[in-house]
Amino acid sequence: MLRIHSKVNTPYGEGILVSMETEYNGLYITYERTKCVVWFGTENPGKSDGYGRWISREISLRELVELNQDTIRNEKINDILDA
């Protein structure tokens, strides 16, 4: 499971997941429509296609899950072992 304030991999590099926004007050979560905001920091901001620098970027939940499958699997294993 991806958690707020955890490090995540993105197509733009490694960042920190800072928020997730869902429709209908979180009662209906879809991978495509859930918006995740990843913060990259001010020391090494990413570059957009000619639009300057940014320190955060919005990514779909589906994309984050696909790029972080190993992390998600390891967290599940650790949760089971800690129980």
Side-chain angles (χ1 to χ4, degrees), residues 74-83:
N74 290 339
E75 285 180 0
K76 285 181 182 179
I77 290 171
N78 288 339
D79 288 345
I80 290 170
L81 294 176
D82 290 339

Side-chain angles (χ1 to χ4, degrees), residues 8-33:
V8 292
N9 296 315
T10 72
Y12 315 106
E14 187 176 82
I16 298 173
L17 180 61
V18 294
S19 73
M20 297 175 82
E21 182 182 320
T22 61
E23 295 179 328
Y24 311 113
N25 297 327
L27 298 175
Y28 183 69
I29 298 174
T30 64
Y31 285 109
E32 295 299 328
R33 293 185 176 170

Side-chain angles (χ1 to χ4, degrees), residues 63-81:
E63 193 171 10
L64 274 184
V65 167
E66 289 173 359
L67 292 169
N68 292 281
Q69 289 181 356
D70 290 339
T71 303
I72 294 168
R73 183 178 61 246
N74 290 339
E75 285 180 0
K76 285 181 182 179
I77 290 171
N78 288 339
D79 288 345
I80 290 170
L81 294 176

Side-chain angles (χ1 to χ4, degrees), residues 12 14-18 37-48 51-58:
Y12 315 106
E14 187 176 82
I16 298 173
L17 180 61
V18 294
V37 176
V38 177
W39 185 74
F40 295 96
T42 56
E43 293 179 8
N44 191 18
K47 291 184 179 178
S48 187
Y51 296 106
R53 295 182 175 272
W54 36 263
I55 60 171
S56 64
R57 189 83 172 183
E58 189 175 283

